[in-house]
Structure formats: structure tokens, C-alpha cells
Amino acid sequence: MELSQVRYFIALCKTLNFTRAAESCNVTQPAFTRAIQKLEMEFGGALIFRERNLTQLTELGRTVRPHLEAMIEAAEAATALANAKMGRTASSLKIGLGPGIGAASIASAVREVTSKLPDVTIHFEESGPAALIEAMLMDMLDCALLPEFTELPERLNRWPLYTDRALAVLPPDHALNQKNAVTAKDVLDEPILVGEYCGGFAKQLADTTGFSLQLQRCNGAATQLLDLVAAGLGMALMSDRLRYAAPLTTRPFHEPELQRKIFLTSVAGRPLNVAAASFVKLCRVKAFS
Amino acid sequence: MQSKLDALRASRRERPAWDESYEEMLAHLGQNGFLEHVIKPGESFPEFMLPSAEGELLSLADFLVRGPVIVSFFRGEWCPFCRLMLAALTEALPQISAVGATLLALTPETGGLALKMKTYHGAPFEILADVDCGIGLAAGVVFRIPPKYRALLGPNFPARHGNSGWYLPIPATFILAQDGHIAWRFADVDFSHRPEPGDIIRAVANMNGKP
């Protein structure tokens, strides 16, 4: 298929009117109609019902539309980025991070975008999934990293990036530091500090084992919770992709394995600016180990 | 490479399901005059900047500054015909470099598969991810996979592209002159047909005015 045919089809999806769609594409109506017909031949079926007073997409038309839009957007973004590099385009890259999801794993993609688009402003927002989804739908965020178990509206694209595994985050001189790995039984008598930004691993542990754990609620930012861990109030169960500064120590947690998949999400069908589009592509291509 | 491709095709055609889907695809693309849409010598190749297997954003323009560029579309890490071609190109890379050209391989695959492809072959050239087949579309090489071939690829195939679109490029190869115009191309709707590296190298040498 040809780029122009796909462009015409998308214009037709938007206007549902051959005359206006042809005009918006600066092409004569016969040429426009021929292009749509050729596309239909290639797709092996009608994309549009042509009725006297009603033009509407067929089921095939509706099925192929979202991806054809994504393809055009990909083509335009790849070319726009090549051109943007030559000029200096000020833009922003606004990334949402779900609870307990750090920026370390996506930092190389951000660095790559800023190396090509030096005038881009980076904006991170860490919040609960519902707030981030809302912000994306309101166009306040370009994309967000969200954990599985989040109910995502149909309108969001989602790409699996990596799996987060829980670490036992311990105070210095804690007895569990002597072990190679920590198990559920080891932490039965340990106070576990739990906050909104811990990634839900403690709840996962309680749910999968049925053990009654000594959970100590601690609302606030993750840094404050970790300060309390360092001061010896208890331990925490948090992602292996976050960085923990001394004097904190960490041990892998197993039996049971606590993990969650992390997805990159963005609003389907909404064109992103060149920085955000490049970031999303880099993340989608990356081999997260 | 040709004899290896022929042998591979012959062995695949012994499987009825494969053979049927192969025939379906050739008939589908052949009847629709697919090659008419593929960009031709004399036209300019779409400019692009795409993520590399290693996670860098690389632009066509940066390579064209150094000399002619060979852009080759691949179907993916899973495709045995692509593997043969990648192996042949890896072997031929010293000669490609000797004529002053840069080879760029484009794949629609995501999720670390471009890197896997590169590592598997020890490919000493850039493999770029044409995410959502955008540049493939701009070059006119993308088609929607017909039903039988889709069934052959299986339900997990869309995850490789990170979309549910079921599109693939035909494995076309273009040689671009330094001004970005297409000087030579190989395009065939049959994915088991590939250009010989020797033909590509000769075409670059001819462009440079060398015999």
C-alpha cells in the first residue's frame, strides 16, 4: 500500500465525506476514489459503506483504522525527528511513573532523546495509576509507566517493558543481611513499612502466602519511608529497579517470587510531539533485561 | 546465497500449510500490482531517524554524509530467509565498506528483538527498528498479511511488533546516493527472493563510476 492511499483513508475516516476528504488532501475526487478502491483491493474488502446519505466505516475499516493511523504517525515522527535535529525545537517530554516505578530503567531512552533534541524539557510525575491515566487522557502527560493489575481504558496503548522484582530493603546491621536471599518465613516477625509508593509487594506477599504480616503504614514519599528503614523502624519490600543509597542494604526476595510487569502506556490515536514519540519508540525497541 | 534460499524454500514448500499460505501471499500481492507502489530509482527515500538495536536514535542523513547507503528491509528475527540474507550481508560487509557504502537493516520488531537479531548474527552494521512500519509505509513496501499466513505466524506474532496490526514489509533493498535519491532497488513480492550481496556491491561500485 502507499502512504498517500493511507492518508486519504484516514482523512475519509475523519470526515466520512468523499468530497470534503478529497479536498482536505488536495486531490481530485476521482483520484481520491481510485486510491481508496485500490486500498480496498489490497485489504480484500470494502473499508467504507457508500450509501446515499450515509458514509460509514465497515467492520474491516474500523479494524484497520487504528493501526494505519499509528503507521502514518510513525512515518511522520521518524521524518520530523530527522528534521527537528537540524533546527532546534523546544518541546517537552512528560512521563508519568506509577507507584514505586523509578526512572532508572528508562533513563537511557530519555538521555538519547535529549541528546538529539537538546531543548526538550523533561517532566516526571509519580502518582497512582488512576491519576496518571486521567492526566494522560487530559493531555497533561505524554505517556506513563504503569504496573499490571491496573485496569486500563481501551483508549490506551500498552506495551510490556519489563518485570519488577521485589527486594528486601533493610536497615544496616540487620540480621537478614547475612542471608543470600530472604523468604516469606524470614519476615514474619519483621515490621514491614508500607506506603503508596512501595509497589504493592507487601500486599502481594500477604495475598499469596496468607501469612499475617507486621505491616506498618507509612504515608508520604518513598524517600521518607526509606529514611525510616535506615533508622531501623523496619524493612520494606520494593522494586529491584530503584536505587537504594547507603546505609540501606538490599537482599533478593524469593519464596515466593514477588513481581509485577511494567507497561508503557499512551493514549491511542493521539499524535505525540517529536520528543515523546521518539521516547516511546526507544522504550518499545529496548531490550530490558 | 541463492542456492541456500532455493533449498530453504523447497524444504518449506513440502509442508502443505506453509505452501498454501505462501501461494496465497504471492497471489494476493501479485494481483494487486503491489510493486507499483514501491518507491523507485530517481525518487528520494524518506528521511528518517529511528532507534537502533542498541537504543540510539540514528538518522539517515548522518550516514549519507559519509557515502551511499544501502537500506534493506527485513521481516524479522523469526524469518529464516532473513537470517540467510543477514548472514550473507555480514559476510559481505568488508566489501560493502570497501566501496564506501553503509548498510542499514530495518526491522519492524520491538521488545529487544532487533538486538537479538544483531547479536545472533554478530552483525557489524546497524539494525534499526522501524516501529509500526512507518518508514516501510513511506517507502511503499508494507502490506497487510493475508489470513493463511497470519494463521501460520500464530497468535503471539503481533506482540513482536508491539501492535495488533498484522503488517509486514516485503524484503526490499534500496541503494541511496548521497543526495538521498534511490539509485538502485531490489523489490520482489516473494520473500524468498533476495538480492545477492555481490549484486548490491556491484551496483554501488557502478554508481561510484568504478567498473
Side-chain angles (χ1 to χ4, degrees), chain A residues 55-72:
Chain A
T55 302
Q56 60 176 359
L57 293 182
T58 62
E59 195 187 332
L60 177 63
R62 284 198 302 275
T63 307
V64 301
R65 179 185 176 174
H67 191 68
L68 291 179
E69 273 176 325
M71 245 194 239
I72 287 204

Side-chain angles (χ1 to χ4, degrees), chain A residues 135-176:
Chain A
M136 277 192 285
L137 293 175
M138 307 259 295
D139 210 14
M140 313 283 281
L141 285 177
D142 297 312
C143 58
L145 272 71
L146 295 173
E148 64 179 323
F149 320 123
T150 303
E151 237 184 90
L152 297 176
E154 273 294 300
R155 290 183 59 198
L156 292 192
N157 282 323
R158 66 217 64 186
W159 299 282
L161 294 189
Y162 57 85
T163 300
D164 239 359
R165 290 186 173 74
L167 290 178
V169 186
L170 301 160
D173 309 325
H174 193 284
L176 288 179

